[in-house]
Amino acid sequence: MSGLVDAIFGLEAMRFGAEGVEFGWARPLPGWLWVLAIALALGGSFWSYSRLDAPRRARAALVLVRALSLLLLVWMLAGPRLERDRSTVERDWVVGVVDRSASLGVADAGRGSRDDELRGALEAAAGSLDSIAESKRLAWLGFDVAAYELPTADGASVPGLGPPSGDGTRLGAALGAALERVRGRPVSAFVVFSDGRSDDDPGGEATRAIARAGVPVFVVPLGAEAGREDWRLRAPVSPGIAYVDDLVPVRVRIEGPASSGGTVQLIDSQTGELVASERIEAGDAALASGEPVPVVFRPGEAGDRRLEVRFVPDQPDLIAQNNTRSIAIRVVDDPIRVLHLDGAPRWEQRYLRALMLRERSIVSTSLILSADRRFQQDGNETIPRLPVTPSEWEPFDLVVVGDLRAQLMTADQLEGLRRHVTESGAGLLWLGGPGSTPMSWIGTPLEDLLPFTVPGSVELPLWDEPVTLAREPAAERLGLIELTGEGAADGADVQEYWAGRVSNPDTGWSVFRWAQRVPGEWLKPTSEIFASARPVSGADGSAAGRPLVTGMRYGSGRVAYVATDEVWRWRFGRGEALYERFWLPMIRHLARGRLERTGQRAVLSVRPEEPIRGSVANVVVELFDQSLVDIAPPSLRIAVTEPGGAEVELTLIREPGPRSRGRYSAAWTPTRTGEHRVVATDALLAALALEASPRVVPPGDELRRPQTDHATLRSIAEATGGAVVRPDQLSTLVDLLPNRERIVVGRPETADLWNRPPVFAILFVLLSVEWAVRRLIRLS
């Protein structure tokens, strides 16, 4: 029947009885108005024919036909039509925000890593995720320093995950990206899979915007809630070259909690032998503040040595891989050449001269200069005159200046010594004395090489009472004034030995009866205090502010000043042992700057030692051999091998200037993290085996703080009205997600009926019938 009606009305796209098709009105009239229209049509038609002189049947037919005609017109004015609803249901979104940073590789989640825990949770809840995907739109975002889409296979609801390798974590930015991803759409929830650590503020503006939008965030915390602590060993700092039997300081910086101690170990990489160790107790300032821990070792025989620096914490460590570094040290058996200058044969001069004569690692030349510029000479070697030219200063690694008048040296000699220290890297050791040092050197070219500044014409004051020596942390860090071995005989603890013997005036032999009182405020900004003076009376409590032994770097060389000439008194305590432990490390430390420049024909270095990926580092080659400098080309080639095996070639350009003829440099921007190998490939340097092993670190250094931060995740869930869902309970998420789908009302599809031909035909028939009846009864 409906098909016949459709055919009569010419309906094609919309038909009576079709799915979703309903009868409606363009201008719907209320029911009471239809009743009124019917009443008026019947009443009006009856009134118009009530006085007609005609048969009753004719009048009734006219009334009915006119009433039907009027009602058909009202029906047409109301706009009858067929309607199909175009409203649709827009499904709400669930966005999974998945951490893909390197911290997910930390193994603190039961039997595996945090990433293993994540993958296991997604696999176990695959059925529940499929159910969510059927009723909602499920999207996945991965994030580390930035957020990005995670791919899903056709028909799968679990995303494809690569290895967690992001250099940083920005959870706050990831939440902002997730919110932007679904802006303007109905959102059921965000689901965050993370260990909680973040380089930005996750509870910041993004979380507040999500809370304002009324979207809950469900967090799935990965890793251990209260996991193990992590200690991290930063790049050790050590001299690249040292003397045989030298005390070599290795400065190790440990980052980590001070709640537990540990041991720093130096291990020979070839033999596996433990060569030195340093204990760090719980609560030590080195752990709390990140101060370097000095580990001093004696390298032994000459040759190239590679050491493994390892920190072994007392408690289980979160990441053991970041507790080990390696260093390379070249040990040489060349003697240290010392020029010892003094103005008179005082006790300190005699004993120091004797010490250098019997020490096989030192070749010394001792001169006593008189007022008429004549000199008495002693030592292993003799020289014809006090050096004047650069070539005459060149053989000496260290110059010791005792209580000598500066006027006994010419201006050329003073300038030559200054340049020898600042440019050639030689050491300069000042021995304060009652006659001339340091006051006669004020106003000379060597004044800048004093570790302190004497204001105006003020005389350097003296202590008005005896003092003892107290070692400062700077000396411990550099391995100076070291009393281990022979010094701390009988195996006594070093600190106990210092407190009980060396710094104790009751021993008698530890007391210096003459010492210069250098005010702490006179020290230059770069100066370090190796030892301070401690008055016997104990009246001056600011011992650390009264330097007795100080030092600094100046140019390429090192300088030290000893403000007493009575260290020889220690010989009454332990014979030569304490005296040697004071002077030999000092001599080797000051001469080492010269050795680092002249002990090798060339040096290859990368600065900084730990370049940051994407930042510029400098690769430098310095030539110390004049024969190499004379034939050196304008540029040198260097090969950088990345961790994956790819090789990058750099061209180092010779720096301009007559003093830089042997220095080449180039900028290098590493693009990968990890250990790199930098090798000199130029033919000029091939036989020297120049090599460096810089470790490139990521900008964010993701594993610097690998501990979880579940408290942050809980705060995000609470702020947004979400909840914490454990990884093993991920299947319960389907019951927690709110229904936020919405109906989108569209413009309905219509087909008008009032203007169809059959309607007009019916109206025409009604009007024709009325006209015909009127004609039959002869009504005009």
Side-chain angles (χ1 to χ4, degrees), residues 574-609:
R574 300 295 302 183
E576 299 294 341
L578 291 181
Y579 194 73
E580 289 181 358
R581 304 324 299 164
F582 180 89
W583 284 116
L584 289 181
M586 185 76 68
I587 290 172
R588 289 180 173 130
H589 167 70
L590 296 175
R592 193 177 293 132
R594 171 78 168 166
L595 180 65
E596 291 173 353
R597 295 180 60 86
T598 61
Q600 303 181 81
R601 299 182 68 191
V603 170
L604 169 63
S605 61
V606 178
R607 292 292 180 271
E609 294 179 348

Side-chain angles (χ1 to χ4, degrees), residues 243-246 297-303 305 331-333 360:
Y243 294 103
V244 170
D245 292 330
D246 197 357
F297 80 102
R298 197 184 301 271
E301 62 184 24
R305 299 192 63 179
V331 183
V332 299
D333 200 14
R360 72 175 185 86

Side-chain angles (χ1 to χ4, degrees), residues 679-697:
V679 179
T681 58
D682 199 278
L684 178 69
L685 307 176
L688 302 182
L690 299 184
E691 182 178 336
S693 301
R695 182 185 182 189
V696 179
V697 299

Side-chain angles (χ1 to χ4, degrees), residues 44-376:
S45 300
F46 179 78
W47 177 78
S48 63
Y49 289 107
S50 61
R51 297 185 180 183
L52 180 64
D53 185 14
R56 179 176 297 179
R57 289 184 178 181
R59 282 186 297 162
L62 290 173
V63 169
L64 180 60
V65 171
R66 177 166 290 187
L68 289 175
S69 300
L70 292 175
L71 290 176
L72 180 59
L73 290 174
V74 173
W75 182 81
M76 294 174 65
L77 291 175
R81 63 185 182 182
L82 294 180
E83 298 177 343
R84 179 183 285 132
D85 191 4
R86 284 293 190 88
S87 298
T88 58
V89 176
E90 184 178 2
R91 292 191 295 173
D92 49 355
W93 288 70
V94 175
V95 182
V97 184
V98 186
D99 191 346
R100 305 310 299 145
S101 62
S103 63
L104 261 69
V106 176
D108 66 339
R111 298 180 180 177
S113 67
R114 300 168 189 173
D115 189 53
D116 294 335
E117 184 181 29
L118 168 64
R119 294 173 186 269
L122 291 175
E123 183 178 352
S128 299
L129 295 176
D130 290 340
S131 176
I132 293 174
E134 289 176 1
S135 59
K136 302 177 184 296
R137 292 185 179 274
L138 184 58
W140 296 96
L141 292 180
F143 74 95
D144 38 58
V145 293
Y148 50 88
E149 296 278 351
L150 286 177
T152 55
D154 293 340
S157 57
V158 177
L161 300 177
S165 58
D167 294 336
T169 308
R170 299 188 64 199
L171 178 54
L175 290 174
L179 184 61
E180 189 66 28
R181 171 72 173 78
V182 293
R183 185 173 299 278
R185 298 181 174 92
V187 183
S188 175
F190 295 126
V191 184
V192 176
F193 300 80
S194 175
D195 54 15
R197 71 164 311 281
S198 181
D199 301 327
D200 61 2
D201 180 15
E205 179 57 33
T207 297
R208 291 191 290 270
I210 292 174
R212 289 194 298 269
V215 179
V217 177
F218 295 92
V219 296
V220 182
L222 304 173
E225 171 81 26
R228 294 172 299 194
E229 300 287 357
D230 183 67
W231 289 265
R232 175 187 177 90
L233 191 151
R234 302 297 292 172
V237 178
S238 65
I241 191 168
Y243 294 103
V244 170
D245 292 330
D246 197 357
L247 289 176
V248 180
V250 179
R251 300 172 62 187
V252 182
R253 195 181 300 271
I254 308 294
E255 294 180 354
S259 57
S260 177
T263 304
V264 180
Q265 299 177 342
L266 299 184
I267 300 173
D268 191 300
S269 298
Q270 293 181 336
T271 65
E273 176 189 0
L274 178 66
V275 298
S277 65
E278 183 69 25
R279 174 70 187 166
I280 305 176
E281 299 296 338
D284 194 289
L287 291 174
S289 62
E291 290 296 321
V293 177
V295 185
V296 180
F297 80 102
R298 197 184 301 271
E301 62 184 24
D304 293 329
R305 299 192 63 179
R306 180 167 289 275
L307 299 177
E308 184 179 272
V309 185
R310 181 186 302 169
F311 178 68
V312 182
D314 294 340
Q315 294 182 358
D317 195 16
L318 192 60
I319 304 177
Q321 293 87 341
N322 60 8
N323 291 352
T324 303
R325 294 294 182 91
S326 63
I327 58 174
I329 297 178
R330 185 181 185 191
V331 183
V332 299
D333 200 14
D334 298 335
I336 303 172
R337 306 181 67 87
V338 180
L339 176 61
H340 182 192
L341 306 177
D342 214 315
R346 50 189 179 145
W347 288 109
E348 196 70 73
Q349 185 270 342
R350 292 172 177 170
Y351 286 118
L352 183 57
R353 177 187 56 128
L355 170 64
M356 292 188 293
L357 279 172
R358 66 174 179 268
E359 175 59 39
R360 72 175 185 86
S361 63
I362 296 177
V363 174
S364 64
T365 300
S366 296
L367 300 180
I368 296 179
L369 275 68
S370 61
D372 59 359
R373 287 189 171 84
R374 296 181 180 179
F375 60 86
Q376 301 176 13

Side-chain angles (χ1 to χ4, degrees), residues 467-469 496-513 536 569-574 578:
V467 298
T468 59
L469 182 146
E496 179 182 343
Y497 193 85
W498 269 104
R501 305 295 302 278
V502 179
S503 298
N504 185 359
D506 294 338
T507 61
W509 55 263
S510 63
V511 175
F512 301 149
R513 305 187 184 280
V536 170
R569 293 183 181 275
W570 282 3
R571 299 177 71 256
F572 295 101
R574 300 295 302 183
L578 291 181

